[in-house]
Amino acid sequence: MTRYAVNASILLTDLPILERPAAARAAGFDAVEFWWPWTTAVPEKSEVEGFVGAIEQAGVQLTGLNFFAGDMPAGDRGVVNNPGRQDEFRANVELVVDIAQRLGCKHFNALYGLHTEGADAAAESGAARENLAYAAKAVAAFGGTVLLEPVSGADRYPLKTAADALAVIDAVGADNLRLLADFYHLAVNGDDVAKVVAEHAHEFGHIQIADAPGRGAPGTGDLPLQDWISAAQQGGYDGPIGLEYVAGDTDPFAWLNS
Ligand SMILES: O=C(O)C(=O)CO
């Protein structure tokens, strides 16, 4: 049976962040995932305690957590490729490892970052490779996997297709660095998702879904999400499916009962 994880950074946003794990549980889910909940790499200890406590008290499993990604509301999509932010990223890795070990979380999405206009692209990709290798080594100690995700809607984000991300993964050469196949982002970027699934499902570290156009719940657009999920499972993917879509005016989980 497919296990779904509610991405509680994009769903349940009518509630304060610390109430979302319990709301996911009340809606019938046993797993949640989050983007890094703060715009600083290392927030106050009390904020971290609040986050960990909310997940523990809700009785849900944190199945995925993004590393610090800069100021996402302001448009950032990661800091991994930023040579000037390596200390910050590494301090964040330490905190993510601590949170993960407390909560038993094993999957960590490292958003790559936008190309900075005028910056040396080779220096950016060098920093990205170093940071990804660093993060992969840090989480390998407890069986963790670092995820690398092609993203849409951000022109200066260099990883647009599965092939873009797989090339970086190959260059880093860490066994626990894997592709995050977000079917929405791949489809919007014009990738051939059925082909990516057929060729790479066994290498996926995680799958996330939203329909397109619109990034809404499955059924609000025209992507064959269930077909792609089934094909990925037949191809060897056995992890949870992250529900990473924007809720409309109706119950965002109604499609699961239809
Ligand atoms: O920034 C986004 O759109 C993401 O999917 C982050 O994980």
Side-chain angles (χ1 to χ4, degrees), residues 165-180:
L166 288 167
V168 176
I169 290 168
D170 276 355
V172 173
D175 288 346
N176 64 333
L177 175 60
R178 298 255 173 153
L179 177 67
L180 194 174

Side-chain angles (χ1 to χ4, degrees), residues 67 93 96-97 100 106 108 134-146 176:
F67 290 105
V93 169
V96 167
V97 165
K106 296 275 177 71
F108 311 96
Y134 181 90
K137 190 167 175 210
V139 306
F142 56 97
T145 297
V146 173
N176 64 333

Side-chain angles (χ1 to χ4, degrees), residues 7 10 33-35 66 69 72 76-77 109 111 149-152 157 180 182 184-185 208 215 244:
N7 187 303
I10 189 169
E33 56 182 39
F34 272 91
W35 300 347
N66 287 14
M72 283 188 61
D76 285 347
R77 283 292 176 281
N109 185 12
L111 285 173
E149 179 185 26
V151 163
S152 63
Y157 190 90
L180 194 174
D182 182 315
Y184 166 80
H185 286 310
Q208 290 173 328
R215 205 175 191 180
E244 199 190 37

